[in-house]
Amino acid sequence: MEDIQNKKGDFDFKIDKVGVENIQHPFYIKKKDGNVIETIATYSMAVSLEKYFKGINMSRLPIILSELYTDKWYMKDYKNDTKFILNRICNKLESQDSCLNINFKYFLPKNAPVSQIQGLMPYECNIEGTLNKEKNNFDMILTVEIPITTLCPCSKAISEYSAHNQRGYVVVSIRYNDEIYIEDLISMVEENGSCELYPILKRVDEKYVTEKAYENPRFVEDIVRLVAKKLYEDDKITWFKISSHHQESIHPHDAYAVIEITK
Amino acid sequence: MEDIQNKKGDFDFKIDKVGVENIQHPFYIKKKDGNVIETIATYSMAVSLEKYFKGINMSRLPIILSELYTDKWYMKDYKNDTKFILNRICNKLESQDSCLNINFKYFLPKNAPVSQIQGLMPYECNIEGTLNKEKNNFDMILTVEIPITTLCPCSKAISEYSAHNQRGYVVVSIRYNDEIYIEDLISMVEENGSCELYPILKRVDEKYVTEKAYENPRFVEDIVRLVAKKLYEDDKITWFKISSHHQESIHPHDAYAVIEITK
Amino acid sequence: MEDIQNKKGDFDFKIDKVGVENIQHPFYIKKKDGNVIETIATYSMAVSLEKYFKGINMSRLPIILSELYTDKWYMKDYKNDTKFILNRICNKLESQDSCLNINFKYFLPKNAPVSQIQGLMPYECNIEGTLNKEKNNFDMILTVEIPITTLCPCSKAISEYSAHNQRGYVVVSIRYNDEIYIEDLISMVEENGSCELYPILKRVDEKYVTEKAYENPRFVEDIVRLVAKKLYEDDKITWFKISSHHQESIHPHDAYAVIEITK
Amino acid sequence: MEDIQNKKGDFDFKIDKVGVENIQHPFYIKKKDGNVIETIATYSMAVSLEKYFKGINMSRLPIILSELYTDKWYMKDYKNDTKFILNRICNKLESQDSCLNINFKYFLPKNAPVSQIQGLMPYECNIEGTLNKEKNNFDMILTVEIPITTLCPCSKAISEYSAHNQRGYVVVSIRYNDEIYIEDLISMVEENGSCELYPILKRVDEKYVTEKAYENPRFVEDIVRLVAKKLYEDDKITWFKISSHHQESIHPHDAYAVIEITK
């Protein structure tokens, strides 16, 4: 059977990435508390292709996922485990470069602030890794999206009573050099909103969050600066990018802000 | 050249709808003020197919759109013009039934409440029509999505100060027997939110909308009931369905409510 | 603390549905092979509200989800278990009507047709249930979306060689009166496409699926009729709606067809 | 009335971007043939904020859009006109940096290859510009997404007959130093697919496109290399990034490839 992909020749250009994307697949990950949760991820996996090769053996990429699943593999150390998969991709596809993107939902139990009733909070997370074996270059970015309440300081200052508020989404991406958990990034953000969000709130809790948000007004500018401060002061973090996106309750469009810092 | 679609036989089942969908195409529509605006729609167009026909002449559906475009056709009377296209679909495809869905953005100028600065408000609209030529059955549903501010009455009542508020989306669908404009549905909804949304607000306006929302707290239940009252009292409307969807600023999920009434 | 929601009065309109939507939450479900899988669902949960009540106790809805999670509850019998949750919603919210929508991804192992290499196929599923306790009316619709290969019979017939083909999505919804599994619906659809899709294919498999699709050309009309025949002949199914949506490889838009039958 | 945004102090961090996003608004643009078309865009607009300022005057951003609309402004020269708006943003918001993103649909008439029947093809386009006034740094990236037919060379080579094919989306982004039109990028891509897509095809056309695709098999690797060659040879283009995304008709996931080159 002819093997066109493995034909050699001069195909003019090296390809930076070639692979598969939009793979829906289960994903197991260990939480900070040590428990492993089963969630679902959207994966993309790719390699580079030198200009003297016609194509890659694409089917080997989903086979790697399938093997990890059969082995009941789960992610415990984000960086080492990402590197482990990247190495396997390089080896199986005989390429010097590999990249991997895992986009997944993550759930954490969260208690209402007064009644203490527990529910599960969903967070969107992303792990993006790249490896160049030749140069031994490995890079990984961890991203978490955290929803918060944001209450407008201007609206509060100029109005006789009340202030417009809304759901905002803070997206934090980091590079880091020591152990950091998704849970840590969530804490750094949630303590800096006008208030945290909760999956379940009784009336005593609703009074609490309403008043707390009013006591902590935050512009979109304030949110990214406050979170930047937390990330800046954490020595384990070497680079970060924060953006915050507020679903303005008085406008049909959103407000946003971005800070990116390499330490 | 063989014509498989037009083969006759017994293919077991009549098909209710067969056609094309997700067609992106310009759409011209006359506003209540008489001006024609050019916007973009996502179209679906289909016919029924009797069980003794193998297939339809599918290419005739986008050709109809193309002809309307060449003729610089625009929609002036929603019902008559929808029926006009449905008739053309039936004729061109030699079918007794046709259906048409036009999903489009609609823009209206809107002034800030105090400063009167003007911007454009976007609304999502939908026209869905069906025709059975044999029985002379024609049906059309007009749908408009209107974003509003909603401020929680419970949060206001139980808190020392402030109240959580957020953007909500009210979706109104109607059947009607006399002239009604998209603009009319927008008015009926916007006057019943805690406050309207605006594309542009200066600080004097922001004070106004913050205080107005606080003075007009509305549960999701209140919104659908207040809008239902307006639609119920309008004799031109024979059926309606209202839903409201609030992006709760204190939760990661949304609140919603639905009322559907045939008069 | 004031309890506005529980105020009584005449609020003009009964509300058909009021509740929460877009809740992201884990969902456990037993497969046909007896194994329980953990997946993620988007839930909506609602009740009706009589016109003499101001509002519902909305927080009780996510609390129900949270309790099921704590109890490690999983769905085994789609109908009975949906009814079980609907009853709990009615009881907790003191309402006569409840509705529940669970939208989830479902994964099944699938072997390549020749090499037999196994991977996981993802399917989108939906369970929608409604209950009226007073009249003891319970209704449930099970929906599964199955991706398939579709190859155009016209293109094959008129061309010297080849035929355009593409990914299609068949969406099957059923009401039924005896045990049926998601797995059964998937089989009924997959055997009627031009070919099935696979998560992993080696070259021997790719030859197989390419040739099989060419030997089984199917219009969008054929797909819905063939699947209709299977569903029609299954006595356990009392009502069904099938639609097929093909991402035409020769057009920027899609082709679709729909058959709905109450037996 | 208090003006919190304009408060001065030391707020620790400069903000890279702060502004508005997800603004839906009409957008007028001149085509290569000289005609101006009215389409719809999603805008984001932002500025940088020095660390000694509390906040920006956010309402001035949508006001700029509103003024352009009132002036019946349309884009004729992508680069100069983007720079013109960026300058206006800097001036109105008294900032050294501004950025602008305009995401819009673009329609071009396209004739069927044999029957010559004309329809409109939709393309997604994006213009992203940034300006630093101090350093007189201006940058603009033009992006166009072009759908094509892709037919798999491996499937063709190993199968007795036929080959799997599907819709692919090629996304081309460029920086350039002389006049280039969206129309030019579309041509460069469409001539390098297995075949072009068409809004309308009669049977004579369908035969043509089916056979043409079979005669021009292309891996995702081939597509990005062929388009890279075209862009590389065009001296007006100084940087480009191409990606191609194929909705594999034999898999539930997609194949993709990326080439990025700075000349």
Side-chain angles (χ1 to χ4, degrees):
Chain A
M1 199 172 278
E2 199 182 336
D3 190 351
I4 294 192
Q5 283 97 333
N6 283 319
K7 270 202 319 197
K8 290 189 177 177
D10 182 353
F11 302 103
D12 289 327
F13 295 95
K14 178 183 173 179
I15 297 177
D16 298 309
K17 295 181 188 181
V18 47
V20 290
E21 62 183 0
N22 292 325
I23 298 191
Q24 307 286 316
H25 203 274
F27 175 58
Y28 299 175
I29 183 167
K30 191 162 140 182
K31 295 195 297 176
K32 195 175 179 181
D33 67 11
N35 291 314
V36 176
I37 58 165
E38 180 170 346
T39 179
I40 295 171
T42 301
Y43 290 83
S44 72
M45 309 167 82
V47 292
S48 68
L49 183 68
E50 296 304 320
K51 73 174 186 170
Y52 41 84
F53 281 116
K54 173 80 170 165
I56 67 162
N57 292 300
M58 211 174 271
S59 64
R60 294 184 188 174
L61 292 167
I63 286 176
I64 292 170
L65 268 193
S66 196
E67 289 170 349
L68 291 171
Y69 182 73
T70 304
D71 295 347
K72 297 186 189 303
W73 178 89
Y74 60 90
M75 182 169 279
K76 353 172 223 314
D77 176 317
Y78 310 153
K79 284 178 81 170
N80 278 343
D81 289 353
T82 299
K83 198 172 176 181
F84 161 77
I85 301 178
L86 288 167
N87 261 308
R88 189 179 281 202
I89 295 173
C90 279
N91 294 340
K92 287 257 185 182
L93 280 95
E94 295 159 40
S95 178
Q96 287 304 322
D97 303 282
S98 58
C99 66
L100 171 70
N101 192 292
I102 310 177
N103 198 280
F104 57 101
K105 284 196 199 306
Y106 195 78
F107 293 94
L108 290 175
K110 189 164 186 182
N111 289 6
V114 182
S115 71
Q116 297 296 323
I117 297 181
Q118 190 173 89
L120 282 181
M121 271 293 286
Y123 301 93
E124 293 283 336
C125 302
N126 196 277
I127 287 172
E128 171 130 19
T130 53
L131 177 69
N132 179 285
K133 281 192 73 172
E134 222 163 7
K135 304 177 193 157
N136 198 23
N137 271 353
F138 166 68
D139 186 35
M140 199 206 80
I141 294 175
L142 171 66
T143 300
V144 185
E145 182 190 84
I146 300 114
I148 55 166
T149 305
T150 66
L151 186 138
C152 179
C154 170
S155 169
K156 175 177 174 179
I158 63 181
S159 305
E160 293 283 320
Y161 30 75
S162 193
H164 78 81
N165 53 77
Q166 53 270 319
R167 203 187 294 158
Y169 289 88
V170 181
V171 182
V172 178
S173 298
I174 61 165
R175 290 192 174 93
Y176 60 100
N177 58 22
D178 201 349
E179 207 169 43
I180 287 205
Y181 288 94
I182 290 168
E183 285 82 347
D184 302 327
L185 293 182
I186 292 171
S187 301
M188 291 183 193
V189 170
E190 290 190 338
E191 66 192 41
N192 282 301
S194 293
C195 189
E196 306 183 24
L197 298 194
Y198 296 91
I200 299 170
L201 292 172
K202 302 304 289 181
R203 276 183 309 131
V204 286
D205 305 306
E206 191 170 350
K207 174 179 163 58
Y208 173 89
V209 298
T210 304
E211 294 172 357
K212 182 171 177 197
Y214 193 69
E215 289 154 6
N216 293 281
R218 299 273 190 275
F219 285 125
V220 72
E221 291 93 334
D222 298 324
I223 300 287
V224 290
R225 279 169 165 162
L226 289 166
V227 177
K229 197 156 193 286
K230 294 293 290 185
L231 299 171
Y232 194 81
E233 287 167 355
D234 189 320
D235 288 339
K236 290 174 287 187
I237 295 169
T238 56
W239 167 89
F240 62 83
K241 183 175 179 179
I242 312 157
S243 63
S244 194
H245 310 264
H246 300 186
Q247 302 172 328
E248 298 295 288
S249 65
I250 60 173
H251 289 303
H253 56 258
D254 302 331
Y256 83 111
V258 184
I259 291 178
E260 179 177 344
I261 287 179
T262 305
K263 293 191 201 171
Chain B
M1 198 175 275
E2 201 182 335
D3 190 351
I4 294 191
Q5 282 97 332
N6 283 318
K7 271 203 320 197
K8 290 188 178 178
D10 181 353
F11 301 103
D12 289 327
F13 294 95
K14 180 185 171 176
I15 296 177
D16 297 309
K17 293 181 190 180
V18 48
V20 289
E21 62 183 2
N22 291 328
I23 299 190
Q24 307 285 316
H25 203 273
F27 175 57
Y28 298 177
I29 184 166
K30 193 164 139 182
K31 296 196 296 177
K32 196 176 179 181
D33 67 11
N35 291 316
V36 175
I37 57 166
E38 181 170 343
T39 178
I40 295 173
T42 301
Y43 289 84
S44 73
M45 310 168 81
V47 292
S48 68
L49 183 68
E50 296 303 322
K51 72 173 187 172
Y52 43 83
F53 281 115
K54 174 78 169 166
I56 66 162
N57 292 298
M58 209 173 271
S59 63
R60 294 184 188 173
L61 292 166
I63 287 176
I64 291 170
L65 268 193
S66 197
E67 289 171 349
L68 291 171
Y69 182 73
T70 305
D71 296 348
K72 297 186 188 304
W73 178 89
Y74 61 91
M75 182 169 278
K76 0 177 216 308
D77 176 317
Y78 310 153
K79 285 178 80 168
N80 279 343
D81 289 352
T82 300
K83 198 172 176 180
F84 161 77
I85 301 179
L86 288 167
N87 260 308
R88 192 181 277 201
I89 295 174
C90 280
N91 293 341
K92 287 257 186 181
L93 281 96
E94 295 160 38
S95 177
Q96 286 304 321
D97 303 281
S98 58
C99 66
L100 172 69
N101 192 291
I102 310 176
N103 199 282
F104 57 101
K105 284 196 200 306
Y106 195 77
F107 293 93
L108 290 175
K110 190 164 185 180
N111 290 6
V114 181
S115 71
Q116 297 297 321
I117 297 181
Q118 191 172 87
L120 281 181
M121 272 290 289
Y123 302 93
E124 291 284 333
C125 301
N126 194 277
I127 286 173
E128 171 130 20
T130 54
L131 177 70
N132 179 285
K133 281 191 72 171
E134 220 163 9
K135 303 176 189 158
N136 199 23
N137 271 353
F138 167 67
D139 186 34
M140 199 207 79
I141 293 174
L142 172 67
T143 300
V144 185
E145 182 189 84
I146 300 115
I148 54 168
T149 304
T150 66
L151 184 139
C152 179
C154 170
S155 169
K156 176 179 174 177
I158 62 181
S159 305
E160 295 284 320
Y161 30 74
S162 192
H164 77 81
N165 52 76
Q166 53 269 319
R167 204 187 293 158
Y169 288 88
V170 181
V171 182
V172 178
S173 298
I174 61 165
R175 289 189 174 95
Y176 61 100
N177 58 24
D178 201 350
E179 207 169 43
I180 286 201
Y181 288 94
I182 290 167
E183 284 82 345
D184 303 327
L185 294 180
I186 291 170
S187 299
M188 290 182 194
V189 170
E190 290 190 340
E191 67 190 41
N192 281 301
S194 293
C195 190
E196 305 183 23
L197 298 193
Y198 296 90
I200 299 170
L201 292 171
K202 301 304 289 183
R203 276 186 305 132
V204 285
D205 305 306
E206 191 169 350
K207 174 179 162 60
Y208 173 90
V209 299
T210 303
E211 294 172 358
K212 184 174 174 192
Y214 194 68
E215 288 154 8
N216 293 280
R218 300 272 190 275
F219 285 126
V220 71
E221 292 93 332
D222 298 324
I223 300 287
V224 289
R225 279 168 166 163
L226 288 166
V227 177
K229 197 156 192 283
K230 293 294 290 186
L231 299 171
Y232 194 81
E233 287 168 354
D234 189 321
D235 288 340
K236 289 174 289 188
I237 294 169
T238 57
W239 168 90
F240 62 84
K241 183 174 179 178
I242 311 158
S243 62
S244 195
H245 309 264
H246 299 185
Q247 300 173 327
E248 298 294 288
S249 64
I250 59 173
H251 289 304
H253 56 259
D254 303 329
Y256 83 111
V258 184
I259 292 178
E260 179 178 345
I261 288 179
T262 305
K263 294 193 198 168
Chain C
M1 198 173 276
E2 201 183 335
D3 190 350
I4 294 193
Q5 281 98 331
N6 282 319
K7 270 204 318 197
K8 290 190 178 177
D10 181 354
F11 301 102
D12 289 328
F13 294 95
K14 179 184 172 178
I15 296 177
D16 297 309
K17 295 182 188 179
V18 46
V20 289
E21 61 183 2
N22 292 326
I23 299 190
Q24 307 285 317
H25 204 274
F27 175 57
Y28 298 175
I29 183 167
K30 191 163 141 180
K31 294 195 298 174
K32 194 175 180 181
D33 67 11
N35 291 316
V36 176
I37 57 165
E38 180 170 345
T39 179
I40 296 172
T42 302
Y43 290 83
S44 73
M45 310 169 80
V47 292
S48 68
L49 182 69
E50 296 303 321
K51 72 174 185 172
Y52 43 82
F53 281 115
K54 174 79 172 165
I56 66 162
N57 293 299
M58 210 174 271
S59 63
R60 295 185 187 174
L61 292 167
I63 287 176
I64 292 170
L65 268 194
S66 197
E67 289 170 349
L68 292 170
Y69 183 73
T70 304
D71 296 347
K72 297 188 187 303
W73 177 89
Y74 60 91
M75 183 169 277
K76 9 184 203 308
D77 177 318
Y78 310 153
K79 284 179 82 169
N80 279 343
D81 290 353
T82 299
K83 200 172 175 179
F84 160 77
I85 301 179
L86 288 167
N87 260 308
R88 190 179 278 203
I89 294 174
C90 280
N91 294 340
K92 288 257 185 181
L93 281 96
E94 296 160 38
S95 177
Q96 287 303 322
D97 304 280
S98 59
C99 66
L100 172 70
N101 192 291
I102 310 176
N103 199 281
F104 56 101
K105 283 197 201 305
Y106 195 78
F107 292 93
L108 290 175
K110 190 163 184 180
N111 290 6
V114 181
S115 71
Q116 297 296 322
I117 298 180
Q118 191 172 88
L120 281 181
M121 271 293 287
Y123 302 93
E124 292 284 334
C125 301
N126 195 75
I127 286 173
E128 170 131 20
T130 54
L131 176 70
N132 179 285
K133 281 191 71 171
E134 220 163 10
K135 303 177 190 158
N136 198 22
N137 271 353
F138 166 68
D139 186 36
M140 200 207 79
I141 293 174
L142 171 66
T143 299
V144 185
E145 182 189 86
I146 300 114
I148 56 168
T149 304
T150 67
L151 184 139
C152 178
C154 170
S155 169
K156 174 178 174 178
I158 63 181
S159 305
E160 293 284 319
Y161 31 74
S162 192
H164 77 81
N165 53 76
Q166 54 269 317
R167 205 187 292 159
Y169 289 87
V170 181
V171 182
V172 178
S173 298
I174 61 165
R175 290 189 173 94
Y176 60 100
N177 56 24
D178 202 349
E179 207 169 45
I180 287 202
Y181 287 94
I182 289 167
E183 284 83 345
D184 302 326
L185 294 181
I186 291 170
S187 300
M188 290 182 195
V189 170
E190 290 190 339
E191 67 191 42
N192 282 300
S194 292
C195 190
E196 304 183 25
L197 298 194
Y198 296 90
I200 299 170
L201 293 171
K202 302 303 289 181
R203 276 184 308 132
V204 284
D205 305 304
E206 191 170 351
K207 173 179 163 59
Y208 174 89
V209 298
T210 303
E211 294 172 357
K212 183 173 175 195
Y214 193 70
E215 289 154 8
N216 293 281
R218 300 273 190 272
F219 285 126
V220 70
E221 292 93 333
D222 298 325
I223 300 287
V224 290
R225 278 169 166 161
L226 288 166
V227 177
K229 196 156 194 284
K230 293 294 289 186
L231 299 171
Y232 194 83
E233 287 168 356
D234 188 321
D235 288 340
K236 289 174 288 187
I237 294 169
T238 57
W239 167 90
F240 63 82
K241 182 174 178 179
I242 312 157
S243 62
S244 195
H245 309 264
H246 300 185
Q247 300 172 328
E248 298 295 288
S249 65
I250 60 173
H251 290 303
H253 56 259
D254 303 330
Y256 83 110
V258 183
I259 291 178
E260 178 177 345
I261 287 178
T262 306
K263 292 192 198 168
Chain D
M1 198 173 277
E2 200 182 334
D3 191 351
I4 295 192
Q5 282 96 335
N6 283 318
K7 272 203 316 198
K8 290 189 178 177
D10 181 354
F11 302 102
D12 289 326
F13 293 96
K14 180 185 171 178
I15 297 177
D16 298 309
K17 293 181 189 182
V18 47
V20 288
E21 63 183 359
N22 292 326
I23 299 189
Q24 307 286 315
H25 203 274
F27 175 57
Y28 299 176
I29 183 167
K30 193 162 138 184
K31 295 195 297 176
K32 195 175 180 182
D33 67 10
N35 291 313
V36 176
I37 57 165
E38 181 170 343
T39 180
I40 295 172
T42 301
Y43 289 83
S44 73
M45 309 167 81
V47 291
S48 68
L49 182 69
E50 295 304 320
K51 73 173 185 173
Y52 44 83
F53 281 115
K54 172 81 170 164
I56 66 161
N57 293 299
M58 212 174 268
S59 63
R60 294 184 188 173
L61 293 167
I63 287 175
I64 291 170
L65 268 193
S66 197
E67 289 170 350
L68 292 171
Y69 183 71
T70 304
D71 295 347
K72 297 186 186 308
W73 178 89
Y74 59 91
M75 182 169 278
K76 3 181 209 312
D77 176 317
Y78 311 153
K79 285 179 82 169
N80 279 342
D81 290 352
T82 299
K83 199 171 176 182
F84 161 77
I85 301 178
L86 288 167
N87 261 308
R88 191 180 279 202
I89 294 173
C90 280
N91 294 340
K92 288 256 186 182
L93 280 96
E94 295 159 38
S95 177
Q96 287 304 324
D97 303 282
S98 57
C99 65
L100 171 70
N101 192 291
I102 310 176
N103 199 280
F104 57 100
K105 283 196 200 307
Y106 195 78
F107 293 94
L108 290 176
K110 190 164 186 181
N111 289 6
V114 182
S115 72
Q116 297 296 323
I117 297 180
Q118 190 172 88
L120 282 181
M121 272 293 287
Y123 301 93
E124 293 282 337
C125 301
N126 195 277
I127 286 172
E128 172 131 19
T130 54
L131 177 69
N132 180 285
K133 280 191 71 171
E134 222 163 7
K135 304 179 193 154
N136 198 23
N137 270 354
F138 167 68
D139 186 34
M140 200 206 80
I141 293 175
L142 170 67
T143 300
V144 184
E145 181 189 87
I146 299 115
I148 55 167
T149 304
T150 66
L151 186 138
C152 178
C154 170
S155 169
K156 176 178 174 178
I158 63 182
S159 305
E160 294 283 320
Y161 30 75
S162 193
H164 77 81
N165 52 77
Q166 53 269 318
R167 204 188 293 158
Y169 289 87
V170 181
V171 182
V172 178
S173 298
I174 61 165
R175 289 189 174 96
Y176 61 101
N177 57 23
D178 200 349
E179 208 170 43
I180 286 204
Y181 287 94
I182 290 168
E183 284 83 344
D184 302 326
L185 294 180
I186 292 171
S187 300
M188 291 181 194
V189 171
E190 291 191 337
E191 67 191 42
N192 282 302
S194 293
C195 190
E196 305 183 24
L197 299 193
Y198 296 90
I200 298 170
L201 292 171
K202 302 304 290 182
R203 277 186 304 133
V204 285
D205 305 306
E206 190 170 350
K207 174 179 164 60
Y208 174 89
V209 297
T210 303
E211 295 172 357
K212 184 173 174 194
Y214 193 69
E215 289 154 7
N216 293 282
R218 300 271 189 276
F219 285 125
V220 71
E221 292 94 334
D222 298 324
I223 300 287
V224 290
R225 278 168 165 164
L226 288 166
V227 178
K229 196 155 193 286
K230 292 294 289 187
L231 298 171
Y232 194 81
E233 287 168 356
D234 189 321
D235 288 339
K236 289 173 289 186
I237 295 169
T238 57
W239 168 89
F240 62 82
K241 183 174 179 179
I242 311 157
S243 62
S244 195
H245 309 264
H246 300 185
Q247 302 173 326
E248 297 296 288
S249 66
I250 60 173
H251 289 304
H253 56 258
D254 303 330
Y256 83 110
V258 183
I259 291 177
E260 180 177 343
I261 288 180
T262 305
K263 291 192 203 170

